[in-house]
Amino acid sequence: MILLLLVFLGGVLTILSPCILPVLPFVFARAEQPFLRAGLPMLAGMAVTFAAVASLAAVGGAWAVHVNQYGRVLALILLSAFALTLLSKRLADFIARPFVSVGNRLVDGASGGGSEASPSRSFLLGIATGLLWAPCAGPILGLVLTSAAISGPNTHTSLLLFAYAAGAATSLAAALLIGGRLFTLMKKSLGAGEWIRRGFGMAILLAVVVIAAGWDTDVLTRLSLNSTNRLEQSLIARIKPEQTENAPLAMHAAGAKDDAAPEGNLPNLAGATAWLNSEPLTPQALRGKVVLIDFWTYSCINCLRTLPYVKTWNDKYKDAGLVVIGVHAPEFAFEKQLKNVLNAVHELGVSYPVALDNNFSIWQAFNNQYWPAHYFVDAQGKIRGHHFGEGNYDESEQLIRKLLVEAGAKNLPAADTPVKASGIQVAADNADMQSPETYVGYARAENFAATPNLQADKATGYTLPATLALNQWGLQGNWQADKEKAMLAGATGKIDFRFYARDLHLVIGPGADGKPVRFRVLLDGQAPAEAHGVDTDANGNGTVHEQRLYQLIRQSKDVRVHTFSIEFLDSGAQAFAFTFG
């Protein structure tokens, strides 16, 4: 219930975003009609359609994107007819007689007849509007779409999307009620009813042009940067993760709950597709042991930064009865490949058992929604606590020690053993981090600033703007984007990102042929020098050999807003997601 409220409030905040502007003429054109028979049905149709289309787009792939495009074209034609009926009945009959007849059926009274609006026709007009509405995805909508991409289509995800749309509809309803009264006063005092009606017609035609040209998902998205993001982040921060029910937070830190009261039994681990460093383990075989379940994936920066602590706990307490199990739940397709996980486990020095959860069977058995997530299980197989995200390491270790003592362990090692973290695994500089994790694939991409808009599943030539605002990014050259990544389709290509953080990472990989890809990194147009990451040299040079997270920038001073640029010097490069620290 708390999560539904959070998502609803995120929708309410869309009224503050420029991305709502193209929808306003369609909504306010109903201001003269009774709200319960015109405005409310229209907003309901808009909300239902957005929730349905967003659900399909999040899980259905390219086919859903193309189907929605056809729907948008039909909606543009329909709403153009609506605009013509507002401008001039004679002009409408002359230019587009068949379309106007559809428009007149949808909009009673649009031609001045004064007939009362039909709820069913207003609902259909709302459906058309819902097909055209493209909200600027902030942190809250991004959270919901992540849930849809990970969990697949389900009632819970669709309900969250509808709650978001209902929030937007609520704020529009308030504006419509206020606007309706204002227009009524203007008509009575100025006798300007006809001109107001024609003004709405012109505004709708202008909105149709804006949407048809793609400016609603390009120019307005850029203007919307940071317009509501801070408010949404504040709302998320005020709600504890355990209150966010089943909402996945991919690669985000979350709060903690280390409570010694039982939270259920250790679920079956039989859903693992493979086991590394161990034979398959079962809850029965683990009885008498204290178990730490660590949900992770090897390209997740938050997981990598918790890894030194998990490895230290394993080394320190394994002889006292602790069993650490890393449940590897992949975020990207390449993380499902056994050879990639084997290589990562070796390179990261993970010696404890790792269960590959490619089908998210164990994830769902725990009802887990976070990377990383730690679950603490006592010797009787009861889950006694959990922790989501980074941090609270001392509290987590104290819970491990408590459960070991309950199981009969004695003479435990000292709890103050220093944990050594280096390179990518060094803790984030949260005080200087103002850039969010940003996905490159079109399913979850935000703040894209190149021209044209990010195109789904087709090779496209992109051009970067002259300047980028904070947290904007873009492609240069010929790239092909799919749901989770962008692939370089030309001989060379570039990605720029305007960021504010100490560290910048990028999940990248070579092409399908596996050939290494050379790259060069610049910071504000110059070689990074001392600010280079572990995967680049002082001149910014590096090579992509495998699919993983690469640290490209690590600053030791002068942490501020910078423009990052990476140029790939060979074709085939694949870019998945930016993360910061």
Side-chain angles (χ1 to χ4, degrees):
M1 189 63 189
I2 297 296
L3 179 59
L4 284 172
L5 177 60
L6 170 67
V7 175
F8 178 82
L9 291 175
V12 170
L13 290 174
T14 60
I15 195 70
L16 304 177
S17 166
C19 285
I20 203 70
L21 291 177
V23 174
L24 293 181
F26 309 140
V27 174
F28 282 115
R30 310 296 285 166
E32 294 182 85
Q33 301 290 338
F35 178 75
L36 292 180
R37 295 182 59 84
L40 184 60
M42 178 188 177
L43 293 173
M46 174 181 162
V48 169
T49 304
F50 170 77
V53 171
S55 295
L56 286 175
V59 300
W63 71 268
V65 175
H66 297 317
V67 169
N68 185 44
Q69 287 301 318
Y70 294 129
R72 285 170 64 88
V73 171
L74 291 175
L76 287 171
I77 294 173
L78 181 61
L79 290 166
S80 295
F82 175 32
L84 291 175
T85 66
L86 291 175
L87 283 171
S88 166
K89 182 66 166 63
R90 181 177 299 175
L91 178 64
D93 287 339
F94 179 76
I95 296 178
R97 185 180 300 275
F99 301 122
V100 170
S101 124
V102 176
N104 284 334
R105 289 185 181 182
L106 283 175
V107 189
D108 283 345
S111 60
S115 59
E116 190 171 310
S118 164
S120 60
R121 295 169 187 171
S122 295
F123 185 79
L124 288 175
L125 187 60
I127 290 176
T129 305
L131 287 169
L132 298 178
W133 182 38
C136 299
I140 292 177
L141 182 56
L143 183 153
V144 177
L145 293 177
T146 297
S147 172
I150 292 172
S151 304
N154 56 63
T155 303
H156 181 73
T157 297
S158 296
L159 185 60
L160 290 175
L161 287 166
F162 181 75
Y164 184 89
T170 299
S171 56
L172 287 172
L176 181 57
L177 288 170
I178 296 172
R181 294 179 180 178
L182 178 61
F183 298 144
T184 300
L185 290 174
M186 290 177 64
K187 287 175 62 177
K188 289 181 178 179
S189 62
L190 302 178
E194 180 67 17
W195 289 107
I196 291 174
R197 185 170 62 80
R198 292 179 179 179
F200 278 137
M202 291 299 298
I204 290 175
L205 286 178
L206 178 61
V208 167
V209 171
V210 167
I211 294 171
W215 297 338
D216 60 323
T217 56
D218 184 2
V219 177
L220 295 181
T221 299
R222 299 178 197 178
L223 293 176
S224 296
L225 289 177
N226 298 322
S227 61
T228 63
N229 279 15
R230 290 189 178 181
L231 286 172
E232 293 187 29
Q233 291 285 12
S234 176
L235 283 172
I236 293 173
R238 289 175 180 273
I239 296 180
K240 302 298 183 184
E242 56 266 27
Q243 295 175 311
T244 59
E245 299 168 13
N246 297 320
L249 284 182
M251 297 189 185
H252 281 278
K257 182 180 180 183
D258 295 339
D259 185 355
E263 301 177 6
N265 296 321
L266 174 64
N268 199 313
L269 306 176
T273 55
W275 284 82
L276 306 179
N277 300 334
S278 171
E279 294 296 320
L281 298 174
T282 66
Q284 294 75 22
L286 292 167
R287 283 295 177 92
K289 299 288 188 180
V290 173
V291 180
L292 169 59
I293 300 290
D294 172 28
F295 283 95
W296 72 300
T297 185
Y298 78 81
S299 73
C300 163
I301 184 59
N302 306 93
C303 302
L304 293 174
R305 290 196 290 244
T306 62
L307 195 57
Y309 296 88
V310 177
K311 290 166 58 179
T312 297
W313 296 334
N314 176 69
D315 294 340
K316 188 190 300 187
Y317 298 116
K318 62 183 178 181
D319 292 336
L322 175 67
V323 176
V324 176
I325 300 176
V327 178
H328 187 271
E331 181 173 19
F332 300 114
F334 67 81
E335 293 175 304
K336 295 182 178 182
Q337 298 178 22
L338 179 59
K339 65 176 183 179
N340 288 347
V341 183
L342 274 169
N343 183 64
V345 166
H346 173 72
E347 293 293 328
L348 294 169
V350 174
S351 59
Y352 47 80
V354 174
L356 274 63
D357 192 24
N358 285 355
N359 299 323
F360 283 78
S361 299
I362 303 174
W363 176 287
Q364 292 173 4
F366 274 83
N367 198 25
N368 181 58
Q369 302 297 329
Y370 301 92
W371 288 287
H374 298 151
Y375 293 86
F376 305 88
V377 183
D378 67 18
Q380 284 72 48
K382 302 290 186 182
I383 300 175
R384 298 283 294 277
H386 64 256
H387 179 267
F388 302 138
E390 303 177 55
N392 285 34
Y393 300 114
D394 290 341
E395 292 87 343
S396 295
E397 184 170 6
Q398 288 302 319
L399 182 55
I400 292 173
R401 294 174 67 86
K402 173 182 175 64
L403 298 182
L404 287 171
V405 170
E406 287 182 6
K410 301 182 183 300
N411 301 319
L412 294 176
D416 57 355
T417 305
V419 174
K420 297 179 181 179
S422 61
I424 290 178
Q425 298 178 350
V426 171
D429 177 12
N430 293 315
D432 288 319
M433 187 165 58
Q434 298 183 24
S435 291
E437 177 182 21
T438 301
Y439 293 93
V440 177
Y442 65 75
R444 290 182 280 175
E446 298 179 25
N447 301 341
F448 184 76
T451 303
N453 300 330
L454 200 58
Q455 303 295 303
D457 302 303
K458 63 179 181 180
T460 304
Y462 294 95
T463 302
L464 285 164
T467 59
L468 294 172
L470 178 62
N471 296 330
Q472 281 188 319
W473 66 283
L475 303 170
Q476 179 78 37
N478 199 22
W479 294 80
Q480 179 167 332
D482 64 20
K483 289 179 66 175
E484 68 174 20
K485 64 183 179 296
M487 300 161 284
L488 179 58
T492 62
K494 188 169 71 165
I495 308 177
D496 282 8
F497 198 117
R498 185 77 168 165
F499 77 105
Y500 193 140
R502 183 194 66 193
D503 304 338
L504 181 146
H505 316 98
L506 180 59
V507 179
I508 43 181
D513 57 10
K515 294 181 179 179
V517 175
R518 297 168 299 145
F519 65 82
R520 180 171 57 246
V521 163
L522 298 177
L523 195 63
D524 296 330
Q526 305 293 323
E530 294 181 354
H532 71 89
V534 298
D535 292 301
T536 58
D537 61 22
N539 293 319
N541 298 314
T543 304
V544 179
H545 292 284
E546 57 198 352
Q547 294 164 314
R548 63 174 176 86
L549 182 142
Y550 288 73
Q551 186 187 79
L552 304 176
I553 297 294
R554 159 62 63 78
Q555 303 174 77
S556 59
K557 56 184 179 180
D558 192 27
V559 178
R560 54 181 175 84
V561 178
H562 293 285
T563 297
F564 164 84
S565 178
I566 179 169
E567 182 179 7
F568 295 99
L569 306 177
D570 301 299
S571 63
Q574 301 178 350
F576 295 81
F578 285 91
T579 58
F580 302 89

